[in-house]
Amino acid sequence: MLADVSARTPEEACGLVAGRARRAERVYRVSNALHSPVRFRLDPAEQIHIFLEIEKLGLELVAIYHSHPNGPAIPSPTDVAESAYPETINLIWSAADGKWHCRGFIIQNGEVAEVPIEIVHSQQL
C-alpha cells in the first residue's frame, strides 16, 4: 500500500485488502476511476474481478484503502457518505512531514470510529 500511495500522488490511490479475521493476506491496487487528487472511486470492472478472486481464494474483504495526498488523516464527508461496506476497515493514508501515515476507521450509518491497526511491511502482501 505504501508504495502504491507514494507512486500515485498527487492522485488519490485506492485498493482492496483481503484476508481472514481482519488480518491482511493480499493487497490489491485498484485504479481510481475518477483520477482525482481529492476523491476516489474504485474502478468497477477491476473491483468485480478482485472480488471474484477473493471469493475463489476463500478470503474476505477486510479493508479498503485510499490516500489523502493533501488532505486530513480522517475520513472526509464524501468518504463517510459513500461508504458502502460497514464491516470493512477504511484505511486512510495521508502525508505529513514528508512521510506517509495510515489510520483505520469503521464507518457505519454515518458514524466514524477509529480502530487500531498494525502495519507490517512485507513484500508478500
Side-chain angles (χ1 to χ4, degrees):
M1 284 183 278
L2 178 57
D4 184 32
V5 299
S6 296
R8 289 205 264 172
T9 297
E11 182 178 298
E12 282 197 11
C14 55
L16 302 170
V17 181
R20 293 179 183 90
R22 292 203 172 181
R23 182 171 173 82
E25 294 184 28
R26 292 185 182 250
V27 174
Y28 297 91
R29 177 193 184 280
V30 180
S31 298
N32 179 348
L34 300 177
H35 301 289
S36 169
V38 295
R39 287 195 61 198
F40 83 99
R41 181 164 298 132
L42 297 166
D43 178 274
E46 292 178 30
Q47 184 177 354
I48 290 170
H49 174 77
I50 293 166
F51 280 172
L52 292 172
E53 181 174 327
I54 289 170
E55 185 176 331
K56 180 179 175 183
L57 294 172
L59 301 174
E60 59 190 30
L61 180 66
V62 296
I64 299 171
Y65 74 89
H66 75 280
S67 62
H68 284 178
N70 299 305
I74 59 173
S76 69
T78 301
D79 294 335
V80 174
E82 294 181 353
S83 179
Y85 299 92
E87 300 298 321
T88 301
I89 296 172
N90 294 269
L91 299 173
I92 298 180
W93 288 84
S94 62
D97 303 322
K99 293 183 178 181
W100 285 97
H101 305 274
C102 185
R103 293 172 68 186
F105 302 89
I106 295 289
I107 303 172
Q108 293 181 330
N109 301 318
E111 298 292 322
V112 177
E114 187 164 8
V115 295
I117 59 170
E118 179 182 358
I119 301 293
V120 177
H121 298 278
S122 172
Q123 295 301 320
Q124 297 174 345
L125 291 180

